[in-house]
Amino acid sequence: MFLLDGAMGTQLFARGVEVGACNDYLNVKSPDVVCEVHRAYLEAGSDAVLTNTFGANRVALKRHGLADQAQRINQAGARIARRAAGRKKYVLGDIGPCGEFLEPLGTLKAQELKDAFAEQARALLAGGVDGLIIETMTALDEIAVAIEAAKSVCGDLPLFASMSFDRAGSDFKTMMGVDVRSAVEKMVSLGVDAVGFNCGTATLDEYVELAERLVAAATSASNEVLVFAEPNAGKPELVDGQAIYRVSPDDFASAAKKIHSAGVNIIGGCCGTGPEHIAAVSKRLRVGNG
Ligand SMILES: [Zn+2]
């Protein structure tokens, strides 16, 4: 079992960072706070940490007036994570969605987005990451562009890619209507090393079911692709417009054990998870398990 980390945003807010500001810019402005979060996850047992660069592609940064800082933010993010992880733990450069629709649904051109993701990937690699992770994607065209951009610069380094699924009847689909099988087939056909799911609005039991479907789809698509899962800490409750996650570390670890039994060997957490959730998973899954 290989353990990723948990959420970044909530950990930053817990350390006094202002909600609504550009979290990615903290890599430049307050690197020590970001480093502290990485260290907390590594101490909890994470084998790899994800850089604080989820929204650091130039298309997303434009909304904060920071497009021209993309390179600097990503490179700094990679260096901070590397500083925390040293040479014994791994760093994955985090790439999230751009927040806009590609043509013809929207006005964003595929080439512009590809350039933005390639720029981000290049800067993350320059900062010293061991691999890249594309996550929280909901549109097949966007994840394809992101994978192609990452592949064009990352060479043989590991490339992870995941989409966010929600329960849709008896099935699971992304917000843009992509089912698990179509997502996995697309990601595998583009040559990723690991396919996964992260985030979403499922309950813990639904995440276990989603894991089973993901493993089935991955097994039929490829003999070699790895499978990873980063569930949220259960289904969010909306309180005063804020998403609240109430799942305890212990319940999260129980779900992680079932997800692992379903054939997922790389596990982390998304929204609502913190170092205590990761520590609980580490404790539960590593006993007598190396
Ligand atoms: Zn999430």
Side-chain angles (χ1 to χ4, degrees):
M1 209 262 310
F2 188 86
L3 197 50
L4 300 174
D5 60 8
M8 171 60 76
T10 39
Q11 292 301 308
L12 292 173
F13 304 143
R15 287 167 175 78
V17 167
E18 181 195 342
V19 179
C22 177
N23 283 351
D24 308 82
Y25 192 64
L26 292 173
N27 297 338
V28 174
K29 206 177 81 180
S30 316
D32 291 346
V33 181
V34 178
C35 196
E36 251 182 58
V37 177
H38 290 320
R39 288 212 170 103
Y41 280 119
L42 292 160
E43 273 163 29
S46 295
D47 297 301
V49 289
L50 277 55
T51 56
N52 177 41
T53 54
F54 178 79
N57 63 77
R58 125 180 338 258
V59 176
L61 286 173
K62 202 161 51 184
R63 287 191 292 277
H64 294 283
L66 293 167
D68 60 346
Q69 298 289 313
Q71 252 180 298
R72 189 174 170 214
I73 291 170
N74 283 287
Q75 206 164 331
R79 289 212 176 107
I80 296 161
R82 185 85 269 161
R83 171 151 63 91
R87 286 287 150 198
K88 291 193 174 145
K89 300 292 176 83
Y90 296 89
V91 174
L92 291 174
D94 194 31
I95 296 176
C98 72
E100 288 181 30
F101 294 122
L102 280 164
E103 288 182 333
L105 200 57
T107 55
L108 184 60
K109 293 195 182 329
Q111 188 61 49
E112 185 187 344
L113 183 59
K114 192 175 175 185
D115 291 346
F117 282 139
E119 172 189 50
Q120 180 177 20
R122 216 175 285 120
L124 288 166
L125 291 169
V129 302
D130 300 301
L132 297 170
I133 183 165
I134 297 163
E135 55 171 13
T136 325
M137 291 284 175
T138 59
L140 219 43
D141 55 358
E142 183 174 9
I143 198 167
V145 166
I147 293 170
E148 283 166 4
K151 287 290 277 186
S152 73
V153 297
C154 80
D156 291 335
L157 291 181
L159 177 58
F160 290 44
S162 74
M163 301 193 86
S164 296
F165 298 95
D166 302 311
R167 167 65 89 190
S170 63
D171 205 353
F172 291 91
K173 285 190 176 162
T174 71
M175 203 172 64
M176 300 301 288
V178 184
D179 62 53
V180 175
R181 190 160 292 269
S182 311
V184 168
E185 281 171 3
K186 185 66 161 185
M187 294 190 272
V188 167
S189 75
L190 292 169
V192 302
D193 300 288
V195 294
F197 67 78
N198 78 290
C199 213
T201 58
T203 63
L204 287 180
D205 285 344
E206 286 170 342
Y207 279 123
V208 175
E209 196 187 328
L210 175 56
E212 288 162 359
R213 289 181 191 229
L214 182 76
V215 169
T219 310
S220 75
S222 159
N223 292 327
E224 289 175 359
V225 77
L226 300 170
V227 180
F228 70 101
E230 296 172 294
N232 287 343
K235 201 180 180 67
E237 277 173 50
L238 272 185
V239 178
D240 298 331
Q242 281 249 24
I244 307 282
Y245 297 85
R246 297 192 196 276
V247 165
S248 70
D250 217 42
D251 289 346
F252 187 77
S254 299
K257 192 170 172 64
K258 290 179 194 158
I259 288 169
H260 183 245
S261 300
V264 178
N265 289 319
I266 305 169
I267 298 177
C270 203
C271 302
T273 61
E276 59 285 0
H277 293 83
I278 297 302
V281 175
S282 176
K283 201 170 153 202
R284 188 76 60 95
L285 286 177
R286 289 208 226 261
V287 176
N289 188 17

